[in-house]
Structure formats: C-alpha cells, structure tokens
Amino acid sequence: MKRAVLVHPNPELKIASLHVDEARFGSDELNELVKDLKEAMEEDKGIGIAAPQVGVHDRLIIVDMADSGPTAFVNPKIVSRSMSKIDFEEGCLSVPGVYGMVERHKKVKVKAYSQDGYPVTLSLKGTLAVVFQHEIDHLDGILFIEKVKVYTHGGNVQI
Ligand code: ZN
C-alpha cells in the first residue's frame, strides 16, 4: 500500500508512538508496514524514516545502513550516548526544503529488534548515529526544527 509522507505542521507528527508488541513480530501486517515505509523513504530519497511520518504510531524506524541497505528497527532505544557532540546539517522528509544545524551526540549505542524479533545492539558514529537520534525523536513526537541552532541553505541528508 502506498503511504504518503506527512508534512509539518500535521499534528500526527507530534503524537508519541507506542511500543510494538512482540506478538506482531514476523507478522504479515508488520512486514507490509516495513515494505511501505521503505518505499516511501526511497521515493523521497531519504536515508531514514519513522512510522509516525506516515501516520502510524508504532515504534518502528527504517535506516539505510551502509552494508545492508534499508533496514527496519523495532522498538529502538538509545542505551548510551557519548559525552562529545557534533553539529550536523539535517533535513527531514516531513519538513521539505528546510535544513539546519542540530547538535547531536557523536556516538550512540542503540538496542532494537529486527522485524522478526531478533535483538540487535548497534554501536554507531557519524551520520548513522545522527540518523538514529533523528528517527527516535520522531517516535517521541519531536521534529528536528525544534532543535535547530541555525538554519542553512540546503543539504543532502533527508531523514
Ligand atoms: Zn525526519
């Protein structure tokens, strides 16, 4: 099913998403949602997307991983953050045409599940660390524009 990416100020983007029950792991319904999210992300040339961006309030994100391509992470949680921070130029599929510098932790450790329910732990740095922080913010109803220190003229990262 084709799902449209919601655009700010749609109030759906401000609703916190709910934990995905393990009974849904591996289900056709969850697999279908993952497929739809990947399609929406690729159509808009994003490198990450969160379920609430298509109006589904499940704690589910897709991130384009360097090695394995677009990958689903269910119930992702940041379990540790580096003290050091970086300023990163972000854009967002739900805030088209707007870019800005956001301060993020340089490294994060994330625990999540695959769509089939396998636990994964990721130690992330650089762009991927930023993408996970941006997407997990979406699950809490937070948009990057609430964190922008300074707007910029454009970038090439849509997350
Ligand atoms: Zn976004």
Side-chain angles (χ1 to χ4, degrees):
M1 182 174 91
K2 191 169 160 64
R3 299 179 196 248
V5 174
L6 305 181
V7 172
H8 172 72
N10 190 313
E12 296 276 329
L13 294 166
K14 298 300 300 166
I15 298 173
S17 292
L18 300 173
H19 192 264
V20 175
D21 191 273
E22 62 184 46
R24 295 173 60 198
F25 288 151
S27 67
D28 290 348
E29 167 268 325
L30 192 66
N31 290 337
E32 189 71 19
L33 176 58
V34 166
K35 184 169 157 276
D36 293 348
L37 279 166
K38 286 181 181 174
E39 281 174 10
M41 183 183 91
E42 284 168 350
E43 184 164 319
D44 281 3
K45 299 185 171 37
I47 58 169
I49 193 169
Q53 290 182 273
V54 298
V56 176
H57 295 100
D58 286 331
R59 297 192 78 84
L60 165 64
I61 63 173
I62 309 291
V63 178
D64 193 355
M65 304 296 284
D67 298 332
S68 42
T71 305
F73 297 95
V74 184
N75 298 331
K77 191 173 184 336
I78 296 174
V79 294
S80 69
R81 299 164 172 83
S82 64
M83 294 282 282
S84 59
K85 297 191 174 173
I86 46 166
D87 286 337
F88 196 94
E89 186 177 47
E90 298 183 21
C92 178
L93 299 174
S94 294
V95 195
V98 176
Y99 298 90
M101 302 303 293
V102 180
E103 188 178 76
R104 299 288 188 183
H105 296 279
K106 205 168 184 174
K107 296 180 187 173
V108 290
K109 190 170 167 186
V110 173
K111 288 195 174 192
Y113 292 88
S114 73
Q115 68 205 76
D116 295 320
Y118 292 102
V120 290
T121 302
L122 304 155
S123 292
L124 303 157
K125 59 182 180 180
T127 303
L128 280 177
V130 171
V131 175
F132 274 81
Q133 289 171 83
H134 178 114
E135 301 308 345
I136 292 170
D137 274 353
H138 274 300
L139 301 182
D140 295 323
I142 299 166
L143 296 176
F144 87 106
I145 47 175
E146 296 166 49
K147 296 186 168 181
V148 165
K149 291 163 81 175
V150 60
Y151 288 99
T152 57
H153 292 285
N156 46 23
V157 180
Q158 300 266 18
I159 47 187

